[in-house]
Amino acid sequence: MSKVSSAVVSDRAQQLLKLLVERYIREGQPIGSRTLARGQGLDLSPASIRNVMADLEDLGLVKAPHTSAGRIPTVQGYRLFVDSLLTVKPLGQHEVLALQDKFSQAADPQQVLVTASSLLSEISSMAGVIMVPRREQPTVRQVEFISLSGNRVLVVLVMNGNQVQNRMITTSRRYSPAELTQAANYLNHALAGKDFNKVRDALLVEMRETQESINQLMLAAIDMANRTFQGGEEGGDYVLAGQTNLMGYAEMADIDRLRQLFDAFNRKRDILHLLDQAAHAQGVQIFIGEESGYEVLDACSVVTSPYEVEGEVVGVLGVIGPTRMAYDRLIPLVDVTAKLLGAALNQNQ
Amino acid sequence: MSKVSSAVVSDRAQQLLKLLVERYIREGQPIGSRTLARGQGLDLSPASIRNVMADLEDLGLVKAPHTSAGRIPTVQGYRLFVDSLLTVKPLGQHEVLALQDKFSQAADPQQVLVTASSLLSEISSMAGVIMVPRREQPTVRQVEFISLSGNRVLVVLVMNGNQVQNRMITTSRRYSPAELTQAANYLNHALAGKDFNKVRDALLVEMRETQESINQLMLAAIDMANRTFQGGEEGGDYVLAGQTNLMGYAEMADIDRLRQLFDAFNRKRDILHLLDQAAHAQGVQIFIGEESGYEVLDACSVVTSPYEVEGEVVGVLGVIGPTRMAYDRLIPLVDVTAKLLGAALNQNQ
DNA sequence: TTTGGCACTCTTCCTATATGAGTGCCAACG
DNA sequence: CGTTGGCACTCATATAGGAAGAGTGCCAAA
């Protein structure tokens, strides 16, 4: 993929590329040779810079929107910039403290995620996203039946990962607590063997024989579990904040593309796939423009980082914004937030 | 507010207004006198129509975007149209059946709401919204404690309205099922009296004396309940679908206004207020443009209807779209969906 | 009361033209 | 040989001038 070995890019060319990208990120307009010459204390004439630019353009690192405009970085240009030219601006000490403070105010885990994605979006002025990945092979840890008023029974499923599911069932007759306990015990036992469908079939057969509707209860529990498993396969979920920030950027002004992007957010699938990739990498990862592989994100870059709980990666978070984003600020932001989020979740569970 | 008594609008003027609005809704462009004359089998010359139009303009029912454009309806024009001119296009029999079918596929109540709002948005090509209003004075119906592995106990709170809440608590020692049952019984009994804080204080005192951490468990349950009550005050929530549909309309092309609208969707407050108003009216209600009272909705109309479960209004649903919307189709759509939703929730709970 | 006629107003679209930013290339310079 | 100034050239952008077309308002006649 990387046709461009940075070896063939002279030191000076790299320096100029760096200046160009930085400036373009700041100002958002094509940078001309004259502008670039004036900018930093370079003692180079515009003409010389033009020569270098021509080289950079040949290498596919910059391009000119049209003949008489300056140059802007290409995706490859950004890539080289991010990989080897970038000087990161670490977060200030008290910014970190401010972040930590916000995190400490969130009570339950869900709240922590919402807080984190809001923080990401607010600080970056872009969209913040946090993925809660599929939990590894869901299992039922425990089933309980709670008798309610009337003929109603509450089925409670405790999954691994301490996730809980409820469903209310109306049965054909009232069951005593003892009966319910017995049913729960039976199921808990049976499900330890783990082959759901077998248990299910057995119940079905037995039900036909005995007409006992308590089996229906157990079936309901199994079906709930099954549904969770299927749901689990589909690959997690995410919390998104600040989508509307993206509407503020000139490079996203095309309302049709924007709509497609928002549709993708709602569909979730593509974004989840992308975040999933980032889960397997370690540390901050950056997808610039088309690199993501999703057409809707062509005009966007995504900065991600996995976050860990108890030393294990449990999810990915990131920011999504226009390709022209302040990578130098965002990378540490995403990095720190990932760590703080991990820490907060650790305390909180 | 209504300066315009329809009495002063001649029959013919009303007829022409009706034609104009219908046509404008269809085509989206200012309608000229010539066009209007040709349109329906009117034997009126453009000149006569111009006279009428001048009258309608004086009454504030139509306006011309500029000198040499045709006329478009004003908010007041739409209002008169909707109130007394509109001929509703009822849904076809098998459209209703198709809707019913979709509803029947949804399993749990939450699913039903999601389905309904998706349906609204898909059929209308606009945004569909369904409000779950604040439940009236939340009450705890039942508390249960489920012993999990380790020292963990799952607190299950069954509220009225069959809503269920879970929370996992780690206790200082392991409790036998019998102990847990006893605690639950005690709490269920105590809470029947309903004065939460009293129960809470009693528990606190007793806890200090006995050092019994099972009281902690009960306290946790009470706190959960309290939190739900406070949360309930904040006024319901809603399910929104198809926001992005709104990006397709020319009259919403202004990206800044669109952003404000989307921000309002996220903020939820304003939209909830509006829907809340509609809950007290009965039947379909329509807010045209500025009538809603919210600036972000100035370019929008909202068609709402409350929906009922067991004969009681429990929520409101509606569609949100540009002022130029097909009221004749949307009104029955919203109406029927509200009824089907009520029916589905009835069955489903 | 209705209608045809007519002048008038605006928007929209096209064209032409000037402006200015920035480039590429070349020849000269150190 | 890298660097630089000069210069012709390109192209986006802005501005102005018309021409076309749609639609109105008003008036006088039917």
Side-chain angles (χ1 to χ4, degrees):
Chain A
M1 245 322 189
S2 75
K3 279 190 247 178
V4 184
S5 133
S6 67
V8 301
V9 187
S10 77
D11 264 11
R12 195 177 60 181
Q14 291 198 19
Q15 206 51 31
L16 279 174
L17 177 63
K18 183 182 178 202
L19 288 175
L20 181 138
V21 175
E22 284 172 348
R23 188 134 187 167
Y24 179 68
I25 286 177
R26 246 185 301 135
E27 323 202 333
Q29 273 157 356
I31 312 292
S33 55
R34 174 176 239 87
T35 325
L36 210 52
R38 274 198 257 100
Q40 258 46 24
L42 292 185
D43 46 352
L44 277 184
S45 75
S48 310
I49 294 185
R50 281 203 285 278
N51 288 330
V52 179
M53 285 310 173
D55 294 349
L56 288 176
E57 183 152 10
D58 286 344
L59 291 167
L61 296 171
V62 301
K63 71 176 177 227
H66 56 84
T67 325
S68 83
R71 304 299 211 301
I72 61 176
T74 62
V75 170
Q76 291 82 16
Y78 276 121
R79 173 50 60 193
L80 181 56
F81 172 76
V82 164
D83 284 347
S84 27
L85 270 32
L86 185 70
T87 43
V88 175
K89 279 216 190 79
L91 289 191
Q93 189 67 42
H94 72 284
E95 290 177 286
V96 177
L97 287 176
L99 281 179
Q100 245 162 343
D101 181 53
K102 298 263 181 174
F103 267 110
S104 69
Q105 288 170 25
D108 60 304
Q110 179 65 19
Q111 193 62 37
V112 172
L113 295 186
V114 172
T115 304
S117 70
S118 297
L119 282 175
L120 281 178
S121 82
E122 271 165 39
I123 298 180
S124 67
S125 299
M126 303 181 186
V129 59
I130 300 195
M131 172 169 108
V132 195
R134 89 190 64 194
R135 53 206 101 259
E136 3 59 78
Q137 45 180 6
T139 328
V140 176
R141 276 234 282 259
Q142 195 165 337
V143 182
E144 294 292 337
F145 299 114
I146 298 180
S147 165
L148 302 180
S149 62
N151 287 352
R152 290 179 168 165
V153 175
L154 184 69
V155 185
V156 179
L157 238 66
V158 184
M159 317 294 289
N160 62 343
N162 294 339
Q163 189 200 10
V164 180
Q165 304 232 341
N166 305 296
R167 175 128 160 242
M168 201 165 302
I169 305 281
T170 306
T171 52
S172 53
R173 72 165 175 87
R174 184 158 181 82
Y175 293 100
S176 73
E179 283 176 304
L180 291 177
T181 308
Q182 195 188 349
N185 283 342
Y186 171 74
L187 253 193
N188 280 323
H189 211 259
L191 289 179
K194 288 228 177 90
D195 191 342
F196 280 47
N197 290 322
K198 230 165 167 180
V199 179
R200 198 192 136 90
D201 290 344
L203 281 172
L204 270 174
V205 169
E206 192 186 339
M207 198 168 94
R208 227 168 271 139
E209 290 167 1
T210 63
Q211 301 278 18
E212 251 299 25
S213 79
I214 196 163
N215 286 5
Q216 215 167 22
L217 218 54
M218 301 200 250
L219 279 178
I222 293 184
D223 287 343
M224 275 172 69
N226 265 328
R227 214 188 309 165
T228 311
F229 295 172
Q230 280 155 18
E233 290 312 333
E234 107 198 347
D237 194 6
Y238 60 70
V239 180
L240 184 63
Q243 309 100 293
T244 54
N245 281 339
L246 300 181
M247 301 207 256
Y249 293 97
E251 42 264 83
M252 308 236 144
D254 181 2
I255 204 157
D256 266 345
R257 298 201 136 267
L258 204 57
R259 177 178 182 172
Q260 286 177 355
L261 182 59
F262 277 47
D263 280 336
F265 284 152
N266 286 337
R267 248 199 326 273
K268 295 199 170 182
R269 226 199 41 239
D270 296 350
I271 305 289
L272 279 172
H273 269 154
L274 183 62
L275 293 179
D276 218 41
Q277 288 172 42
H280 305 314
Q282 69 225 40
V284 173
Q285 187 163 39
I286 302 177
F287 302 87
I288 300 166
E290 318 130 3
E291 289 180 351
S292 68
Y294 295 97
E295 206 181 327
V296 286
L297 289 176
D298 274 4
C300 296
S301 283
V302 186
V303 180
T304 65
S305 168
Y307 60 90
E308 304 181 352
V309 172
E310 290 168 2
E312 201 179 351
V313 171
V314 299
V316 177
L317 95 201
V319 296
I320 302 175
T323 320
R324 175 174 87 82
M325 58 166 64
Y327 296 95
D328 56 349
R329 290 194 321 110
L330 289 178
I331 291 173
L333 171 65
V334 168
D335 192 35
V336 169
T337 309
K339 293 193 173 103
L340 290 179
L341 175 60
L345 288 176
N346 242 331
Q347 281 196 327
N348 217 306
Q349 78 164 356
Chain B
M1 248 323 193
S2 73
K3 276 191 249 177
V4 184
S5 136
S6 69
V8 300
V9 187
S10 78
D11 264 11
R12 195 177 59 186
Q14 291 198 20
Q15 206 50 32
L16 279 174
L17 177 62
K18 184 183 176 199
L19 287 175
L20 182 138
V21 175
E22 285 172 349
R23 187 135 187 167
Y24 178 67
I25 286 177
R26 246 185 301 135
E27 322 201 334
Q29 272 155 356
I31 313 292
S33 56
R34 174 175 240 88
T35 325
L36 210 50
R38 273 197 258 99
Q40 257 46 24
L42 292 185
D43 47 350
L44 278 183
S45 74
S48 311
I49 294 185
R50 282 204 284 278
N51 288 330
V52 178
M53 285 309 175
D55 294 349
L56 289 176
E57 183 152 10
D58 286 345
L59 291 167
L61 295 172
V62 301
K63 71 178 177 222
H66 56 84
T67 326
S68 84
R71 304 299 211 301
I72 62 177
T74 62
V75 170
Q76 290 82 19
Y78 277 121
R79 174 49 62 192
L80 181 57
F81 172 77
V82 164
D83 284 347
S84 26
L85 271 32
L86 184 70
T87 43
V88 175
K89 280 215 189 78
L91 290 192
Q93 189 68 41
H94 71 282
E95 291 176 284
V96 177
L97 287 176
L99 281 179
Q100 247 163 342
D101 182 53
K102 298 262 181 174
F103 268 111
S104 68
Q105 289 171 25
D108 61 303
Q110 179 64 21
Q111 193 62 37
V112 172
L113 295 186
V114 173
T115 303
S117 69
S118 298
L119 282 175
L120 281 177
S121 82
E122 271 165 38
I123 298 180
S124 67
S125 300
M126 303 181 186
V129 59
I130 300 195
M131 172 168 106
V132 196
R134 87 191 66 194
R135 53 204 101 259
E136 5 57 76
Q137 44 180 6
T139 330
V140 176
R141 276 234 283 257
Q142 195 165 336
V143 182
E144 294 292 338
F145 298 114
I146 298 180
S147 164
L148 301 180
S149 62
N151 287 354
R152 288 180 169 167
V153 176
L154 183 69
V155 185
V156 179
L157 238 64
V158 184
M159 318 293 289
N160 62 342
N162 294 337
Q163 190 201 7
V164 180
Q165 304 231 344
N166 305 297
R167 176 129 158 240
M168 201 165 304
I169 305 281
T170 306
T171 52
S172 53
R173 72 164 176 87
R174 185 159 180 79
Y175 294 99
S176 73
E179 284 175 304
L180 291 176
T181 308
Q182 195 188 350
N185 283 342
Y186 171 75
L187 252 193
N188 279 322
H189 210 259
L191 290 178
K194 292 234 174 82
D195 191 342
F196 280 47
N197 289 321
K198 230 164 164 178
V199 180
R200 197 192 138 90
D201 290 343
L203 281 172
L204 271 173
V205 169
E206 194 187 339
M207 200 168 93
R208 226 166 273 139
E209 291 167 1
T210 64
Q211 302 277 20
E212 249 302 23
S213 80
I214 195 163
N215 286 6
Q216 215 168 22
L217 218 54
M218 301 199 251
L219 279 179
I222 293 183
D223 287 343
M224 276 171 70
N226 266 329
R227 215 191 305 166
T228 311
F229 295 171
Q230 280 156 16
E233 289 313 335
E234 107 199 349
D237 194 6
Y238 60 69
V239 181
L240 184 63
Q243 307 101 291
T244 53
N245 281 339
L246 299 181
M247 301 207 256
Y249 294 96
E251 41 265 84
M252 309 235 146
D254 181 1
I255 204 157
D256 265 344
R257 297 200 136 269
L258 204 56
R259 176 177 183 174
Q260 286 176 355
L261 182 59
F262 277 47
D263 280 336
F265 284 152
N266 286 337
R267 248 199 327 274
K268 295 199 171 182
R269 226 199 42 238
D270 295 351
I271 306 289
L272 280 172
H273 269 155
L274 182 63
L275 293 179
D276 217 42
Q277 287 172 43
H280 306 313
Q282 70 226 42
V284 173
Q285 187 163 40
I286 302 177
F287 301 87
I288 301 166
E290 320 131 2
E291 288 181 352
S292 67
Y294 296 97
E295 206 180 328
V296 286
L297 289 176
D298 274 4
C300 296
S301 284
V302 187
V303 180
T304 66
S305 168
Y307 59 92
E308 305 180 352
V309 171
E310 289 168 3
E312 202 179 350
V313 170
V314 298
V316 177
L317 95 201
V319 296
I320 303 176
T323 320
R324 175 175 87 83
M325 57 167 64
Y327 296 95
D328 56 348
R329 290 195 321 110
L330 288 178
I331 292 173
L333 170 65
V334 168
D335 192 35
V336 169
T337 308
K339 294 195 173 100
L340 291 179
L341 174 59
L345 288 176
N346 243 331
Q347 280 196 326
N348 217 306
Q349 78 163 354

